[in-house]
Amino acid sequence: MRAFGTVLIVALIAGLCLGAGAALALEWDQDKVTEIAIRLQAEIKGLRADPGISPAQDTAFQERRHAAALATLQTMQRDTGRLVSMLREGVGRDSTQSVFDGLEDELTQIRSLAEESWVRPSASEKIKQVRRAYAELEAFYRSPR
């Protein structure tokens, strides 16, 4: 692994999946959920645009898995856009739950694929912003109905 201040992508993105137990349950607020989903979409876009997210990996195996994790991140960005569109149209929690569940599945896949990957420190703040936005959104989707 690179020694010049790199951060394991799995350690940062794993927090996205681990946030499930820590999320606070909140009463559904369509406008607030839409705002958070828009922010999550923007944070993912910013992360994908950061050159620090795509450094060369140490082995060909790491390169393939890292590329697959980035492709899944792209899918997550697309699916977040779909969620935003639905929420803007007034589609509520029950009908958007499956899209949110898909985001959670994508995060799990990224976590698995990125176990051996690393990113430059410049991308770590963006990963934290994605993690925070996801955790906020999760609080609404995981709250009791």
Side-chain angles (χ1 to χ4, degrees), residues 1-141:
M1 198 88 28
R2 313 275 179 171
F4 53 90
T6 61
V7 180
L8 287 174
I9 192 171
V10 69
L12 296 168
I13 293 184
L16 293 167
C17 297
L18 297 176
L24 299 174
L26 299 174
E27 186 174 325
W28 187 261
D29 179 334
Q30 185 82 14
D31 292 335
K32 182 70 174 168
V33 170
T34 302
E35 174 188 317
I36 296 167
I38 290 167
R39 192 169 80 246
L40 176 60
Q41 183 182 31
E43 299 296 357
I44 293 170
K45 182 179 181 180
L47 174 60
R48 288 191 59 234
D50 189 309
I53 195 74
S54 300
Q57 301 297 305
D58 292 330
T59 68
F61 177 75
Q62 287 174 319
E63 286 286 348
R64 287 190 302 274
R65 291 185 61 88
H66 188 76
L70 293 177
T72 304
L73 185 62
Q74 181 178 4
T75 300
M76 186 179 170
Q77 182 181 0
R78 183 201 64 218
D79 291 345
T80 303
R82 192 169 122 225
L83 178 63
V84 167
S85 294
M86 292 172 75
L87 291 167
R88 282 181 169 161
E89 292 171 4
V91 179
R93 177 180 173 178
D94 291 339
S95 296
T96 58
Q97 183 72 50
S98 64
V99 178
F100 177 80
D101 291 344
L103 295 177
E104 185 173 46
D105 292 344
E106 290 158 0
L107 290 173
T108 300
Q109 185 177 9
I110 290 168
R111 179 179 163 203
S112 173
L113 289 167
E115 286 178 336
E116 302 280 332
S117 298
W118 64 277
V119 297
R120 291 191 179 107
S122 66
S124 53
E125 183 58 35
K126 289 179 177 70
I127 292 171
K128 290 175 189 175
Q129 291 168 349
V130 169
R131 183 174 49 213
R132 282 190 292 269
Y134 176 82
E136 287 180 49
L137 191 61
E138 180 183 42
F140 285 99
Y141 277 98

